[in-house]
């Protein structure tokens, strides 16, 4: 029996405790966050999977450092403020948001990617009661 292969399989299937959303009583709130998936609670099984998840963050860091070297400190700070303002523009919590302003700032509004055609699995649509979701977002519950 190949114990190294078994150890690798066990390591790849260890649930990550901090990633699953917990409700008030230690149980996931299905009404607000949707159904759970065992796939979301597993560690990345391949090194490239983690790299792909952080691709946009790494790309932004590289662009900011290049911009700082070329134009000075003010340029990446201004761009980060614009990114932060564009991220705050959203629809109501129960409606999907396209983040068009953020895509325009990043320059990815003219390219068609995998997530445009097959949708980004991280941003799946959740159907819930609109009033309850807005109250939760505002902290009224």
């Amino acid at each position: 029996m190949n114990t190294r292969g078994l150890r690798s399989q066990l390591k790849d299937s260890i649930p990550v405790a901090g990633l699953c959303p917990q409700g008030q009583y230690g149980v996931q709130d299905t009404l607000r966050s949707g159904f759970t998936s065992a796939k979301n609670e597993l560690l990345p099984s391949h090194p490239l999977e983690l790299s792909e998840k952080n691709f946009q963050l790494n790309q932004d860091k590289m662009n900011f450092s290049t911009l700082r070297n070329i134009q000075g400190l003010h340029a990446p700070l201004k761009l980060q403020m614009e990114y932060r303002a564009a991220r705050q523009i959203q629809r109501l919590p129960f409606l999907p948001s396209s983040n068009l302003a953020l895509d325009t700032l990043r320059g990815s509004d003219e390219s068609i990617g995998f997530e445009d055609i097959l949708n980004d699995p991280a941003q799946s649509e959740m159907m819930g009661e609109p009033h309850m979701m807005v109250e939760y977002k505002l902290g009224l519950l």
Side-chain angles (χ1 to χ4, degrees):
M1 184 170 155
N2 186 359
T3 59
R4 183 175 180 176
L6 181 61
R7 228 180 265 140
S8 173
Q9 289 174 355
L10 289 175
K11 180 191 78 154
D12 292 343
S13 63
I14 296 172
V16 178
L19 295 180
C20 55
Q22 297 293 326
Q24 184 177 6
Y25 299 106
V27 179
Q28 188 220 359
D29 193 359
T30 307
L31 184 64
R32 292 188 185 117
S33 59
F35 294 109
T36 59
S37 172
K39 182 180 177 186
N40 294 337
E41 297 176 2
L42 298 177
L43 292 172
S45 60
H46 196 274
L48 285 178
E49 186 177 351
L50 188 61
S51 175
E52 283 294 317
K53 283 184 179 180
N54 297 329
F55 174 76
Q56 190 62 48
L57 180 66
N58 294 337
Q59 188 74 23
D60 287 343
K61 285 181 181 179
M62 187 174 63
N63 289 341
F64 289 147
S65 68
T66 304
L67 196 59
R68 181 179 180 180
N69 291 338
I70 294 172
Q71 295 185 5
L73 184 60
H74 70 89
L77 289 176
K78 179 183 174 193
L79 196 56
Q80 284 178 351
M81 287 188 330
E82 290 176 358
Y83 280 0
R84 190 168 291 129
R87 272 192 219 109
Q88 290 177 353
I89 302 170
Q90 292 181 355
R91 295 182 181 163
L92 292 174
F94 57 91
L95 294 174
S97 182
S98 64
N99 295 323
L100 183 63
L102 191 60
D103 286 344
T104 304
L105 282 173
R106 286 193 171 132
S108 61
D109 58 333
E110 296 178 356
S111 63
I112 297 176
F114 174 81
E115 60 275 354
D116 294 328
I117 297 171
L118 297 175
N119 202 359
D120 186 10
Q123 298 177 354
S124 63
E125 294 182 16
M126 293 185 306
M127 189 61 193
E129 184 181 348
H131 297 289
M132 182 177 281
M133 293 181 84
V134 171
E135 288 174 356
Y136 180 73
K137 176 93 174 185
L138 296 176
L140 300 175
L141 283 179

